Structure formats: C-alpha cells, structure tokens
Amino acid sequence: MTPEITIRRAQFTDIDLVFEIEQESINSWSCDQFIQELSNRFSIFLVAESKNSIVGYAIAWRVADEIQINSISVKKNFRKQGVGSKLLAEIIKNDSDKVFSRAILDVRSKNIEAINFYTYNGFTKNGIRKNYYNDDDAVLMEKVL
C-alpha cells in the first residue's frame, strides 16, 4: 500500500531527522551542510512526510537555466513506494519565475539502484566522469524539461 505523502520545504527543526535518513543511505552529507542548504537562496530543500514523520528529503540547486539534483534519499522502509519520485517531481515542478531547460545530476556508477530510479523518472545517461569519487566513476544524467 502506498503511504500518504506530503512534500514541503525543509525547516531547521527537520535537520536531525534528515541526517538520520542520510546516515542510513548515502552517508556523505554532514548536519552543517544540511543547515547551510537552508540559507542558500539557490537551493531547493524539500522533505517528504508521512503521518507527521519525515521519510525522505531532496536537495537541488538552481544554476543558470538548469536544476542540479544534489541528493535524494528515502528512509529504508519507505523505499520503492513512490516517495523519491514525488520528491523529484516536486523539485522539477519549479515554483520560481525562471524557466529551466533541464535537470542534471551525477551518481556513482556502482549505485545501480539510483541509476535505475533516475532512468525510471525520465533521466538519460549522457557521460562519465572517471574517478570522480575516491572509489568510483560518476555517471552524468539529465532530463530535458
């Protein structure tokens, strides 16, 4: 059964729960980085809630005429239920006055689950950055908007 999900802008009081989700998944962001995103004018920082509990988050930047997806993560017991897709759709929806031409991101080449998620959501592979991460290449992906 698909849970009822509400997407909203992140707030300072959400950081601890967002960080818990980060630690059980990607584990590359610090609490300080999440706090900084709340004050970046170009940042889109959203959380997904189910029954008043945060079950996922997404961070992207508005850069020139692009939306750069920086991180999307969903609590383990809420994965594969559409939460990540809802977060992604809300980011791409673009509530600013500016028109964006595409959404871009990079993902570890070993992260097949993430590559499949983005492909399912309309992204295509458009390049590789060799040795981008200490232990892996980055797959560049984009979606024309």
Side-chain angles (χ1 to χ4, degrees):
M1 187 167 113
T2 304
E4 188 171 320
I5 300 296
T6 303
I7 307 295
R8 64 169 174 79
R9 292 218 174 262
Q11 302 169 10
F12 181 77
T13 54
D14 299 327
I15 297 300
D16 288 342
L17 294 172
V18 166
F19 188 64
E20 284 179 21
I21 295 168
E22 173 69 12
Q23 288 181 304
E24 76 175 24
S25 61
I26 305 164
N27 202 17
S28 63
W29 287 60
S30 69
C31 273
D32 288 342
Q33 287 173 300
F34 287 121
I35 291 167
Q36 179 63 44
E37 289 303 316
L38 290 173
S39 63
N40 287 340
R41 287 181 334 147
F42 52 85
S43 182
I44 308 165
F45 187 173
L46 304 176
V47 293
E49 281 185 319
S50 176
K51 297 180 182 172
N52 296 320
S53 179
I54 294 177
V55 298
Y57 73 87
I59 297 174
W61 291 346
R62 297 176 186 105
V63 180
D65 69 335
E66 300 173 341
I67 296 175
Q68 177 182 310
I69 311 293
N70 294 326
S71 187
I72 295 179
S73 189
V74 174
K75 212 172 191 176
K76 283 186 180 177
N77 56 332
F78 281 84
R79 291 184 187 160
K80 300 196 186 297
Q81 297 179 48
V83 177
S85 293
K86 283 185 177 188
L87 283 162
L88 183 59
E90 191 66 25
I91 280 180
I92 291 174
K93 186 174 90 173
N94 178 30
D95 61 359
S96 77
D97 294 334
K98 189 170 168 83
V99 175
F100 294 94
S101 63
R102 67 185 185 145
I104 60 171
L105 61 96
D106 58 69
V107 61
R108 290 178 177 274
S109 68
K110 296 175 187 173
N111 193 343
I112 302 305
E113 186 176 9
I115 292 169
N116 289 341
F117 165 77
Y118 289 113
T119 300
Y120 174 80
N121 283 282
F123 283 74
T124 57
K125 296 177 188 177
N126 70 347
I128 298 282
R129 286 189 178 138
K130 288 286 187 193
N131 304 312
Y132 183 75
Y133 301 102
N134 290 336
D135 61 344
D136 199 4
D137 297 336
V139 176
L140 304 174
M141 300 186 79
E142 77 171 327
K143 179 176 183 174
V144 176
L145 303 177

